[in-house]
Amino acid sequence: MMKNDIQMLGELLIKRRHKIAESVHADRMEGVAMTQAEKNEFQKIEPRIMEIRAEFITLFGEALTEHDNRNKTIEKMKQWGKETGDYFFKLGAPLDEALKDTSYYRNYIWKSIKEEATIQGMSAETIFDVIEIIDPLLDHAVYYFSLTYVQSHQNMLEQAKSAFLELSVPIVPLIKGTGVLPLIGNIDTERARLLMEETLSQAVKLKLEHLIMDVSGVMIVDTMVADQLFKVIDALTLLGVTTILTGIRPEVAQTMVDLGLNLDKIKVKGNLHQAFMDIQAL
């Protein structure tokens, strides 16, 4: 009998999913300040949000009607959390604002269950069994929603960083066969790897014979940075590209000397003009 009562409550949630979703939505959006332009934009996505809300309610209904298959229910909730977390991230909704929906779902789901349980005279044991199903499931939904949202955010940051790094390795063509690579900022391991890949790729693409590598914007030169720069220069040499290093500031020069770095095999000029004049003379 208890099993039938739980299934009955599940069927009730599924049947009333749109009504519950509307109540959650109305209560959640009450008092949310929006400009007219924001309201117009929100109206475009509102039908999809209502579908998401109804789908969420349905999952809880199915969890009760199929409460013997807990793993299947958790898997469905996991999928919902991933899809919805990514969707709300792409909408630009702050995570803390999105998570405020949780209390509204909890309130209206339990309100519907309480009303039906009272009408049907269901036992306290049934209610406790329902609690043991719904509350952990809601926690799973919040976890997977938040996890996916954060992962989407991290992916965006990584993509932005990659785009920035690519822009930070620009070879500017000067004349046919000659280009300049202005390096600015710190060179970490990741940027050093990209420096190697992008420099060689662009050197071939631009059919360079000479490359002026200007390091006036590099604040710190340690053994790792110097080693990476030398590796890039050696690789360019194998491609038939002569590299001239320019823009070494006095404090950087002193550091390089203190580190015992050997620059005998590298062409060094004081500035871009000197390097360019040297290339023209060739």
Side-chain angles (χ1 to χ4, degrees):
M1 187 64 177
M2 190 181 299
K3 180 179 179 180
N4 291 335
D5 285 344
I6 294 176
Q7 289 177 334
M8 186 186 301
L9 291 174
E11 291 169 359
L12 173 77
L13 291 180
I14 295 173
K15 183 179 180 181
R16 295 185 181 177
R17 63 187 183 279
H18 293 295
K19 183 178 179 180
I20 297 173
E22 288 172 3
S23 297
V24 169
H25 189 69
D27 202 1
R28 175 68 178 88
M29 298 307 297
E30 185 178 0
V32 176
M34 287 190 289
T35 64
Q36 189 57 49
E38 289 172 336
K39 288 180 180 178
N40 293 338
E41 287 300 312
F42 184 72
Q43 286 175 356
K44 297 177 183 178
I45 62 172
E46 197 167 20
R48 176 56 187 146
I49 291 178
M50 293 304 299
E51 287 178 13
I52 290 173
R53 296 195 188 285
E55 288 171 6
F56 195 42
I57 304 298
T58 300
L59 289 177
F60 286 101
E62 291 176 350
L64 296 179
T65 58
E66 305 172 13
H67 64 276
D68 289 333
N69 196 341
R70 186 170 180 271
N71 290 336
K72 180 181 178 182
T73 301
I74 291 177
E75 190 59 37
K76 285 183 178 180
M77 192 59 76
K78 180 180 179 180
Q79 188 62 33
W80 181 91
K82 286 183 174 182
E83 293 175 357
T84 310
D86 187 57
Y87 176 74
F88 274 84
F89 170 76
K90 289 176 179 176
L91 285 181
L95 180 58
D96 60 335
E97 284 296 318
L99 291 178
K100 287 180 181 179
D101 287 13
T102 306
S103 61
Y104 293 92
Y105 283 116
R106 192 188 303 273
N107 290 340
Y108 281 100
I109 286 174
W110 278 113
K111 182 179 179 181
S112 296
I113 290 175
K114 181 180 178 181
E115 289 175 353
E116 187 65 19
T118 302
I119 293 172
Q120 300 297 331
M122 294 181 185
S123 67
E125 187 177 356
T126 299
I127 300 303
F128 282 122
D129 285 342
V130 172
I131 290 174
E132 289 179 359
I133 295 171
I134 288 184
D135 279 359
L137 197 59
L138 188 57
D139 292 337
H140 278 294
V142 171
Y143 171 76
Y144 288 115
F145 179 93
S146 303
L147 180 64
T148 302
Y149 187 102
V150 171
Q151 287 175 339
S152 297
H153 181 67
Q154 289 176 334
N155 290 338
M156 183 199 70
L157 291 179
E158 287 298 324
Q159 290 171 4
K161 183 179 180 180
S162 296
F164 172 76
L165 288 174
E166 289 175 8
L167 289 173
S168 69
V169 191
I171 292 182
V172 182
L174 293 179
I175 58 176
K176 184 178 180 181
T178 301
V180 59
L181 172 59
L183 294 178
I184 300 172
N186 295 330
I187 300 177
D188 56 17
T189 304
E190 186 175 0
R191 189 181 179 194
R193 176 189 60 77
L194 193 68
L195 177 64
M196 175 69 81
E197 294 175 359
E198 288 295 313
T199 302
L200 298 182
S201 174
Q202 292 185 51
V204 172
K205 183 179 179 180
L206 296 173
K207 299 179 180 179
L208 296 182
E209 295 176 5
H210 298 90
L211 176 66
I212 302 171
M213 188 179 294
D214 184 74
V215 296
S216 58
V218 178
M219 298 296 106
I220 300 174
V221 173
D222 54 19
T223 51
M224 189 280 288
V225 173
D227 182 59
Q228 292 300 327
L229 292 178
F230 293 169
K231 284 181 179 178
V232 173
I233 293 171
D234 287 342
L236 286 168
T237 301
L238 293 176
L239 295 179
V241 181
T242 300
T243 305
I244 300 177
L245 202 60
T246 67
I248 299 178
R249 292 177 293 108
E251 60 271 26
V252 173
Q254 184 175 347
T255 300
M256 295 175 78
V257 170
D258 292 340
L259 292 172
L261 300 177
N262 186 4
L263 300 177
D264 292 343
K265 296 181 180 180
I266 300 176
K267 275 192 173 184
V268 180
K269 294 294 179 180
N271 52 52
L272 286 171
H273 178 71
Q274 291 178 5
F276 189 62
M277 294 300 293
D278 187 71
I279 292 170
Q280 281 191 316
L282 294 175

